[in-house]
Amino acid sequence: MLKKTNRVSLVDQVVSQIEHLIESEKWPIGEKLPPEMELMEEFGVSRNTLREAIHALVHAGLLETKQGSGTIVRSSSALEAAFNRHIEKSNLIDTLEVRLALEREAAEMAAKHRTEEALAEIEVCMAQCQAAAKKDDIEEFVIADITFHKAIVKASNNQLLQDLYEYMTDPLYSSIHDIMIMDIPFDYDKEIHHELVRAIREQDVEGARKYVNEYIHAFKERL
Amino acid sequence: MLKKTNRVSLVDQVVSQIEHLIESEKWPIGEKLPPEMELMEEFGVSRNTLREAIHALVHAGLLETKQGSGTIVRSSSALEAAFNRHIEKSNLIDTLEVRLALEREAAEMAAKHRTEEALAEIEVCMAQCQAAAKKDDIEEFVIADITFHKAIVKASNNQLLQDLYEYMTDPLYSSIHDIMIMDIPFDYDKEIHHELVRAIREQDVEGARKYVNEYIHAFKERL
DNA sequence: AATATCCCAATCATCCTACAAATTTGGAGT
DNA sequence: ACTCCAAATTTGTAGGATGATTGGGATATT
């Protein structure tokens, strides 16, 4: 007969409760937490226990404390924070390559599993890309282009893929921006997006793969 | 004039020092840490401060404490621990799909960037797969097969890709095992590996892509 | 002598109080 | 209305006390 060793420390219980409050957005990002005294009463633990829990989450990247001011919610995902730290120490080229690998997989899966709602969202993003290109607004185009690709990843209907893609994209924004404005072939890119959207709309997996491979090839050329 | 806000809390300083000791393997995995009293003196901080630091690392997955026994080093990578927790909450199919995406990218990159050393390692792993297949030892074959794929990822020469692949493979071991033994077509798989190794040896990117796509297709069929 | 049981020391878990340092807030004085 | 300073608020650090758990050594039993 096994003992279940169900013993869970108070600190871990408090950590779990706070994590849950953050994930469920009862404490949204940017929100200031109640002071330690109130939290002690709310969770029914001592100051030490509470502080150990809060510090665990600070180190995980979910919270941020400032002496004299308070504690605020910084991120809702521990993985995101750990990812950011790891990426900082990684080679930029390596990171971009992995991101493109995710993008390639996402395009195929989007073509396979897309819903009407996801397709509509992709088409909206494509229109915004074209509008920005027409205005020759480079900054806006870069943002719209990134949003477009995120929409495709979302259409893959794979939550983990979507999470990883966003965690890898956001900290790379400035790098992606720099690479994209090296030479933006506006008309060309617009066509690529159009063909890709067509392939996803018609659930043409082969076509999606083909055009994403072209896009990735062009992107890698600039590295 | 900016204040540099150089203020770093004692807890964070202790956390950094311990992290460094673990990463540099001065405290290898499995090692038992000195008791809290000694660490207090060594780092020159109070009990509270030290405990908050240790708990931050416990929550990050680097350490593990057992009341009455002591504290041991559990892992050397915070990302790995965060990944494990995230994967536990993710859909199994989603996770396997992302893993296959990484595998696909790795095969192409291995064909492109392989070194002689990496190729030699891959060939050793392939031989072990074949030996296990010849002995009809299923368990050994699964392990050898996973090692083989890890060797290919390593040959991609992309450290981030390698890290992510291992973080996603290890916690999935039992699932991968179950899927693989559903129907192991020993001879068929052996040939696939042979062709893939040939493509990598001859730096035939197209060939590598083709055979990995076949392998992935077969794998996904079984899901 | 071998084995099982019990007890104790070591260690972590939790709680408490006190004070220090940083920030915010509000009021006194101009 | 503005400036400056003091008090209140809030987190940071320290040290002590007690409870809970583990592991091993001492003791007792066969």
Side-chain angles (χ1 to χ4, degrees):
Chain A
M1 177 163 73
L2 322 178
K3 277 199 295 183
K4 293 223 271 178
T5 64
N6 252 350
R7 175 84 177 148
V8 179
S9 75
L10 276 183
V11 173
D12 287 339
Q13 291 179 43
V14 174
V15 165
S16 297
Q17 288 185 65
I18 296 179
E19 269 180 333
H20 189 259
L21 284 168
I22 294 174
E23 274 178 23
S24 66
E25 305 200 358
K26 291 216 175 66
W27 288 352
I29 291 179
E31 179 96 347
K32 192 161 148 187
L33 270 61
E36 291 177 346
M37 292 297 291
E38 284 182 34
L39 292 177
M40 284 167 58
E41 289 180 12
E42 185 166 339
F43 291 122
V45 298
S46 76
R47 182 145 180 249
N48 259 345
T49 304
L50 177 75
R51 283 178 57 77
E52 284 180 23
I54 286 182
H55 257 92
L57 292 170
V58 168
H59 184 256
L62 271 70
L63 297 178
E64 184 174 354
T65 58
K66 262 200 304 188
Q67 187 177 169
S69 174
T71 304
I72 63 171
V73 179
R74 189 181 181 181
S75 166
S76 63
S77 162
L79 181 58
E80 181 173 17
F83 229 109
N84 286 339
R85 274 199 296 272
H86 201 274
I87 285 175
E88 274 176 22
K89 295 185 290 187
S90 292
N91 183 292
L92 176 61
I93 308 289
D94 284 4
T95 312
L96 288 169
E97 278 176 337
V98 172
R99 179 172 163 274
L100 289 175
L102 298 180
E103 197 157 319
R104 179 180 299 178
E105 193 74 8
E108 281 189 37
M109 290 173 60
K112 228 177 278 180
H113 302 123
R114 68 148 182 89
T115 61
E116 289 302 323
E117 295 81 24
L119 178 61
E121 194 176 333
I122 290 172
E123 286 177 338
V124 168
C125 292
M126 181 181 70
Q128 285 172 344
C129 279
Q130 293 177 352
K134 204 165 286 178
K135 284 195 299 179
D136 258 332
D137 186 334
I138 295 183
E139 302 300 320
E140 189 179 320
F141 176 79
V142 171
I143 291 174
D145 188 70
I146 289 176
T147 309
F148 171 79
H149 286 107
K150 281 186 183 174
I152 289 177
V153 175
K154 191 173 174 186
S156 73
N157 207 27
N158 181 322
Q159 185 63 45
L160 178 63
L161 184 60
Q162 186 183 339
D163 290 345
L164 293 183
Y165 187 78
E166 299 209 342
Y167 298 159
M168 302 198 69
T169 298
D170 295 342
L172 290 179
Y173 173 75
S174 66
S175 302
I176 294 170
H177 173 273
D178 293 347
I179 292 170
M180 285 189 70
I181 65 171
M182 277 172 59
D183 60 331
I184 293 197
F186 266 146
D187 298 329
Y188 180 71
D189 258 359
K190 192 168 61 180
E191 287 307 317
I192 284 283
H193 284 178
H194 194 275
E195 282 299 308
L196 179 53
V197 172
R198 182 205 55 75
I200 292 174
R201 185 189 305 118
E202 298 172 7
Q203 304 201 270
D204 171 10
V205 176
E206 284 298 318
R209 178 183 4 233
K210 188 177 158 201
Y211 287 109
V212 167
N213 279 341
E214 277 181 27
Y215 163 80
I216 288 178
H217 185 73
F219 193 93
K220 281 193 175 176
E221 284 292 306
R222 299 184 219 174
L223 289 183
Chain B
M1 177 164 73
L2 321 178
K3 278 198 294 183
K4 292 219 275 178
T5 65
N6 252 349
R7 177 83 177 146
V8 179
S9 75
L10 276 183
V11 173
D12 287 338
Q13 291 179 43
V14 174
V15 165
S16 297
Q17 288 185 65
I18 296 179
E19 268 180 332
H20 189 261
L21 284 168
I22 294 174
E23 273 178 23
S24 66
E25 306 200 356
K26 291 214 176 65
W27 288 351
I29 292 180
E31 179 95 346
K32 191 162 149 187
L33 270 62
E36 289 178 348
M37 292 298 290
E38 285 182 33
L39 292 176
M40 284 168 57
E41 290 180 13
E42 185 166 340
F43 291 121
V45 297
S46 77
R47 179 113 192 280
N48 267 341
T49 304
L50 179 76
R51 282 179 57 77
E52 285 179 20
I54 287 185
H55 254 92
L57 292 170
V58 167
H59 185 255
L62 294 181
L63 297 179
E64 183 174 356
T65 58
K66 261 201 305 188
Q67 189 175 169
S69 173
T71 305
I72 63 170
V73 179
R74 188 182 181 181
S75 166
S76 62
S77 163
L79 180 59
E80 180 172 17
F83 229 108
N84 286 339
R85 273 198 297 273
H86 201 274
I87 285 176
E88 274 177 21
K89 294 185 290 187
S90 293
N91 183 295
L92 176 62
I93 307 290
D94 285 3
T95 311
L96 288 169
E97 278 177 337
V98 173
R99 179 173 165 272
L100 290 175
L102 298 180
E103 196 156 319
R104 180 181 299 178
E105 194 73 9
E108 280 190 37
M109 292 173 59
K112 229 178 278 180
H113 305 306
R114 66 143 182 95
T115 62
E116 290 301 322
E117 295 81 24
L119 179 60
E121 195 176 332
I122 290 172
E123 287 176 336
V124 168
C125 292
M126 181 180 72
Q128 285 172 344
C129 279
Q130 293 177 350
K134 203 165 286 176
K135 283 196 300 181
D136 258 334
D137 186 333
I138 294 182
E139 303 301 321
E140 189 178 322
F141 177 79
V142 171
I143 292 173
D145 188 70
I146 290 176
T147 308
F148 171 78
H149 285 107
K150 281 187 182 175
I152 290 177
V153 175
K154 191 173 175 188
S156 73
N157 208 26
N158 181 320
Q159 185 62 46
L160 178 62
L161 184 60
Q162 187 183 339
D163 289 345
L164 293 183
Y165 187 77
E166 298 208 343
Y167 298 160
M168 302 197 69
T169 298
D170 295 342
L172 290 178
Y173 173 76
S174 66
S175 302
I176 294 171
H177 173 273
D178 292 348
I179 293 169
M180 285 189 69
I181 66 171
M182 277 171 59
D183 61 329
I184 292 197
F186 265 145
D187 297 329
Y188 179 71
D189 259 356
K190 192 168 57 178
E191 287 308 316
I192 283 283
H193 284 179
H194 194 276
E195 283 299 308
L196 178 55
V197 172
R198 182 204 56 74
I200 292 174
R201 185 188 305 119
E202 298 172 7
Q203 305 201 270
D204 170 10
V205 176
E206 284 299 318
R209 174 174 22 224
K210 188 177 158 201
Y211 287 109
V212 168
N213 280 341
E214 276 181 27
Y215 164 79
I216 288 177
H217 185 74
F219 193 93
K220 282 193 175 176
E221 283 293 306
R222 299 183 218 174
L223 290 183

